[in-house]
Amino acid sequence: MDHRVSDYDDQARLNLDESRKIIVELDQDHPGFRDAVYRERRNQIAQIAYEHQPGKPVPDAPYTPEENELWSTILDVLKPIHEKCACREYLEYWDKINFPKVRIPQMKEVTTRLTSLGGFRFEPVPGLVLPKIFLTELKRDVMLVTQYIRHYSQPAFTPEPDVVHEIVGHGAMLVEPNFVAVNRLFGKVADSVDKTVIEKLIRLYWWSIEFGLVKENNKPKAIGAGLLSSIGELGSIAEHPHRPFDPEVMVQTDFDPTTTQPFYFCAESSEVAISTLVEYLTGCLK
């Protein structure tokens, strides 16, 4: 079961030509498919990840003024939605990180800010990896991420996880101590189990770390990065059915990464979500 390393989308694929240059192949329905300039920049950014040596500073991605403006626009639109729909942990640590609002922060800058607050390190990847690789890296306080940004023509949509998803969605929760510990525990478990359990873990990760909800004052709030980085989906979380936050059910529930989620799993609080995940994951180690 192959997935995009930062999430689980398989619409963008990478090949190597004779010169060993990374080539990003986009599906015909991808917003950037007919944009030659965008595709070339995606190739350049993928090449950075391909050539990068883990643990060393990540070279800057060649973002254009238009892409920096897109980043700024997305953050402006998300801000009031976050204030209404993001969990309190996210809001607290997003403010602490204080990423630039007028340009896309580079990966080495992101890592410096996260690690200074006791958080994860970001390492870029050029393409597809197995879920076990993605999850296992969490054990080392490393999240494997993409660097490109979605196409400007559809700022509210990306068919695969982009730098907005990685930084805006995951960043704050990879500094908050309880969620740092849970991500680390996912990695510890993934490093010691077989493929069957890995498939369960990736579903659990999806329904919790990517699309999980918790209640605050009896209102649903997002803890999941997929929601926290989504202009369209985050504001509508109260309109979809909510299911009990039960890992035994979550690990058996398939997901579709290409569309809005039809339902969410909602815990009674962030504390309940954390304790429930820790109990399940710890049980996997026995």
Side-chain angles (χ1 to χ4, degrees), residues 93 95 121 164 231:
Y93 283 89
D95 286 343
R121 186 171 81 250
V164 175
I231 291 175

Side-chain angles (χ1 to χ4, degrees), residues 11 36 41 65 96 118 120 135 166-167 175 185 193 198 245 283:
Q11 296 182 46
R41 194 156 52 258
K96 287 183 178 181
F120 271 46
L135 291 173
E166 316 292 19
I167 297 175
V175 173
L185 186 54
V193 296
I198 290 292
F245 199 87

Side-chain angles (χ1 to χ4, degrees), residues 47-98:
Q47 188 73 19
I48 291 171
Y50 176 72
E51 296 176 353
H52 174 66
Q53 297 297 315
K56 294 185 177 181
V58 182
D60 289 351
Y63 300 124
T64 66
E66 292 77 12
E67 287 174 326
N68 284 319
E69 183 178 356
L70 175 60
W71 165 268
S72 181
T73 297
I74 292 172
L75 261 60
D76 285 344
V77 174
L78 276 173
K79 188 176 188 299
I81 308 176
H82 280 158
E83 292 173 351
K84 178 182 178 182
C85 300
C87 67
R88 64 179 183 275
E89 292 89 348
Y90 179 87
L91 295 175
E92 177 184 353
Y93 283 89
W94 179 251
D95 286 343
K96 287 183 178 181
I97 296 170
N98 193 29

Side-chain angles (χ1 to χ4, degrees), residues 34-184:
R34 293 175 178 80
D35 187 336
V37 175
Y38 178 78
R39 292 177 64 128
E40 175 57 27
R41 194 156 52 258
R42 286 282 296 267
N43 289 341
Q44 294 172 356
I45 291 173
Q47 188 73 19
I48 291 171
Y50 176 72
E51 296 176 353
H52 174 66
Q53 297 297 315
K56 294 185 177 181
V58 182
D60 289 351
Y63 300 124
T64 66
E66 292 77 12
E67 287 174 326
N68 284 319
E69 183 178 356
L70 175 60
W71 165 268
S72 181
T73 297
I74 292 172
L75 261 60
D76 285 344
V77 174
L78 276 173
K79 188 176 188 299
I81 308 176
H82 280 158
E83 292 173 351
K84 178 182 178 182
C85 300
C87 67
R88 64 179 183 275
E89 292 89 348
Y90 179 87
L91 295 175
E92 177 184 353
Y93 283 89
W94 179 251
D95 286 343
K96 287 183 178 181
I97 296 170
N98 193 29
F99 286 125
K101 307 299 189 296
V102 297
R103 62 174 175 81
I104 305 169
Q106 297 288 345
M107 284 294 103
K108 59 187 177 185
E109 180 181 4
V110 173
T111 286
T112 296
R113 296 195 182 210
L114 296 184
T115 56
S116 70
L117 294 170
F120 271 46
R121 186 171 81 250
F122 276 13
E123 292 283 355
V125 289
L128 298 171
V129 300
L130 293 173
K132 186 177 179 70
I133 295 175
F134 169 68
L135 291 173
T136 301
E137 285 298 295
L138 299 175
K139 177 184 177 181
R140 302 192 301 114
D141 291 3
V142 171
M143 175 158 281
L144 301 175
V145 298
T146 54
Q147 289 176 275
Y148 60 84
I149 192 168
R150 63 197 63 181
H151 196 262
Y152 71 90
S153 65
Q154 295 191 37
F157 170 76
T158 175
E160 72 271 275
D162 70 338
V163 72
V164 175
H165 172 84
E166 316 292 19
I167 297 175
V168 180
H170 283 291
M173 304 304 272
L174 291 176
V175 173
E176 199 283 327
N178 291 318
F179 285 91
V180 165
V182 166
N183 273 278
R184 191 180 294 137

